[in-house]
Amino acid sequence: MRILLVEDDEQLVETTARALRSQGWVVDCSARGEPVPRSLREDAYDLLILDIGLAGIDGFETLRRVRAEGLAVPVLILTARDAVEDRVRGLEGGADDYLVKPFALTELVARARALVRRSQARTSNQLQLARLRIDQEARRAYLDGEPLPLSAREWDVLGFLMTRAGKVVPKEHIALASNAWEQGVSDNAIEVCLSRLRAKIEPGGVRLRTVRGLGYLLEEIG
Amino acid sequence: MLTAWGRSHIAKAGRLGSGPALGPQVAERLRSSLHRRLFGWLLLPLLVVLPVLGTALYRQVQHSAQSWLDDGLEDTALTLAGQIDLRGGTPRIDISVTMDRALRFDRQDDVFYVVLAPGGEVLQGDAGLVELRPLPPPQPAGSVHYGDVRLRGRELRLVQLGRDCGDGACQVLVAETLHKREALQREITTFVALNGVALALLLALAAGWAIRQGLAPLTDLSTELERRDLHRLTPLAARLPRELAPLQAAFNRLFERLNRASEAQREFLADAAHQLRTPLTSLQTEIELALLEPHDPRVDPLLQRLRQRVVRSARLAQQLLSLARAEDRSVDLGQRIDLRDIATESGQDWAHRPLPAGVDLGFELAEAPALGHAFLLRELLENLIHNAVSYAGAGARITVRCGSAPDGPWLEVEDNGPGIPAAERPAALLRFRRGDQATGTGTGLGLAIAADIAARHGGRLALLDAHGGPGLRARLSLPPVG
């Protein structure tokens, strides 16, 4: 996986790049926003990590130019400005996610991975989370390369959660994930399905966590 | 230092921005005084001119009426003079009873007359009339004299004329009481006064109306001004008369300067956040990287402690900025928001954060539409959750709830930790006050910030007992919407 990191604080670039490289990813760095569109055109990057507070043109402007050129690379914004207006501005400007400084490295890595996964899901039918892989076209799941037997409902729910990995998904949304459920399915039925699914996928280094009152979160065990 | 500067800056800007409180007062004073002055200057000449005009009119009418009545009196005198018979050498006069009655006939007044020979003997009439004072000198023939006289305490109007009687002039004196004249005078006075007052009132009304019309653009201007605050400093768009255009332009320039100042302040806040956060981020990243990469396991506790300290410093910087922002008068607290959305967003973030062992963070959310500032309320909730996570201890069960009560939307964070004794709760809302048993990553600012933000929204942060058993329940109540 290849990442373009645009950040003008040398220290932060150094540590962040090292952390990303430790995941086995290739990281190129730039301190300014101007050359970004060209770099993205010339090399196939899987992700752009973009700081807002840059010298020269800022992150918003850089993002605008990137999108204006029709470049569809996923963009993760790093910002020290946490005003809601800034977040909204970033997301409306075509960013896919944002992270407010200071952030934990693990969170940066998780978000980067989720973004790339989501963008790959748009272009390919294969989704990978730790040692769990699904093929959306074949409607098959694999654990360590071995086919994982799943019921139709379980498959629907897993596919739904995989495309939203790293996000807390409300139970009501999960109820809509499967056509195999008639309307007005009981909470209980969903929970039974989820707990069976949980038992099947957890050996693959992923975890299906319950956030009480909010929903379910599919994540890698970090 | 940076933060202190920022705060004093904000406080000043806040004062500048207290337009709504200042506006109506100034506008009212301006309006009433202008009103009074214009009214005064318009009515003052009127008050001088009207009595002068009234008096002149009164005199004129009075004079005309007087001479008309005097003419009547003179006619009587001429009639009498015509009756003087000079044929016998000595003047004689003979007035029949009928004629006497005709001469004396008057509906309101008593008429007296006397005809005197040139020597002064009474030829005919009321002899008593010669006692009137002041008695005018005898008039030469053909001449007429009018005068106001008194006779035994009564005021009379007199006409005296001389008539040629051979070797001198006979004197004909006719006098009448003043009832008719007085009645006429009263009538004229009333007429002139009433008309004068009516005219004055009419003119005052007209002046008042004209002034209000003339000043209406100023009232419009103050209404426009009232709609401005630091958050909405759009140029004034009222269509004002030429004379007010410079004022409008001056206001618009002032708004522009204020806009720039408040923009500079927002920039400052953003820059301060950036300046503080970027080095803290790289420090935190450095430590986390050291933890991830191969290292001597003996330094592990040290790295963990360092990491915790950095996280806490970052949090403190963040909170000081929030505090500055909570006091920033330019933030718009009237956004339509739902506390449920705010809590959900917070929940998404917390789901990714490492919690102390066994801490269970859960949510029970219902719709709670409210008016407020999304970022500040998010920060408030963040502080309440942080507080619960920091102080409730390992294995704590923390629940975030929100909903709508008849008295307004509410949001609460409940934990089953040790809680805060009722007596210490007010102090817990003060800045940099940490509880006695406090450990962990708390900064001592969280509840104070939450209370500040609640107060800014016209709401209240209450520290209550948990619903069942020990623990703390921090509850935000906001005013109802609309």
Side-chain angles (χ1 to χ4, degrees), chain B residues 164-377:
Chain B
D164 180 28
C165 284
D167 49 349
C170 295
Q171 301 291 315
V172 181
L173 282 75
V174 183
E176 64 178 9
T177 51
L178 300 180
H179 295 129
K180 205 162 44 225
R181 289 163 198 269
E182 279 167 356
L184 200 57
Q185 191 175 0
R186 275 198 302 275
E187 210 170 296
I188 294 168
T189 313
T190 316
F191 173 78
V192 170
L194 277 181
N195 277 288
V197 168
L199 186 63
L201 281 176
L202 206 69
L203 284 172
L205 273 175
W209 185 80
I211 292 168
R212 195 165 316 126
Q213 284 300 104
L215 291 183
L218 272 183
T219 320
D220 293 350
L221 182 64
S222 66
T223 319
E224 271 270 324
L225 282 175
E226 261 184 74
R227 292 202 205 98
R228 297 292 181 292
D229 56 38
L230 256 192
H231 214 69
R232 194 174 40 251
L233 284 175
T234 47
L236 295 174
R239 288 173 59 84
L240 294 178
R242 206 170 46 236
E243 291 84 348
L244 286 179
L247 183 66
Q248 187 175 22
F251 267 122
N252 285 342
R253 280 194 300 276
L254 174 67
F255 289 165
E256 219 177 280
R257 286 199 294 276
L258 275 176
N259 256 333
R260 276 202 297 274
S262 109
E263 185 55 39
Q265 199 186 301
R266 276 193 284 275
E267 285 296 315
F268 167 78
L269 274 179
D271 285 352
H274 188 81
Q275 295 304 330
L276 282 168
R277 274 180 202 158
T278 305
L280 284 171
T281 309
S282 69
L283 198 55
Q284 184 181 339
T285 320
E286 203 84 62
I287 297 165
E288 285 177 358
L289 205 53
L291 278 164
L292 284 174
E293 290 175 344
H295 61 276
D296 186 342
R298 277 175 303 178
V299 299
D300 224 75
L302 171 68
L303 287 174
Q304 289 290 5
R305 265 204 313 282
L306 272 176
R307 189 181 158 277
Q308 205 179 35
R309 293 275 158 81
V310 171
V311 168
R312 190 174 146 192
S313 302
R315 173 100 200 112
L316 182 61
Q318 160 69 20
Q319 285 178 321
L320 287 172
L321 282 165
S322 312
L323 207 53
R325 215 179 303 215
E327 286 166 18
D328 182 350
R329 299 281 139 193
S330 73
V331 299
D332 178 10
L333 298 170
Q335 300 166 0
R336 288 191 169 276
I337 48 147
D338 193 326
L339 294 178
R340 180 158 78 169
D341 297 340
I342 287 172
T344 307
E345 205 187 324
S346 208
Q348 284 282 359
D349 280 0
W350 276 94
H352 295 284
R353 295 185 194 159
L355 291 173
V359 168
D360 169 28
L361 176 61
F363 296 80
E364 293 171 15
L365 309 177
E367 263 179 37
L371 290 182
H373 187 265
F375 169 76
L376 285 177
L377 290 172

Side-chain angles (χ1 to χ4, degrees), chain A residues 83-99:
Chain A
V84 176
E85 296 78 35
D86 281 350
R87 299 186 198 181
V88 171
R89 201 175 147 199
L91 293 179
E92 281 179 353
D96 300 273
D97 202 358
Y98 63 86
L99 207 50

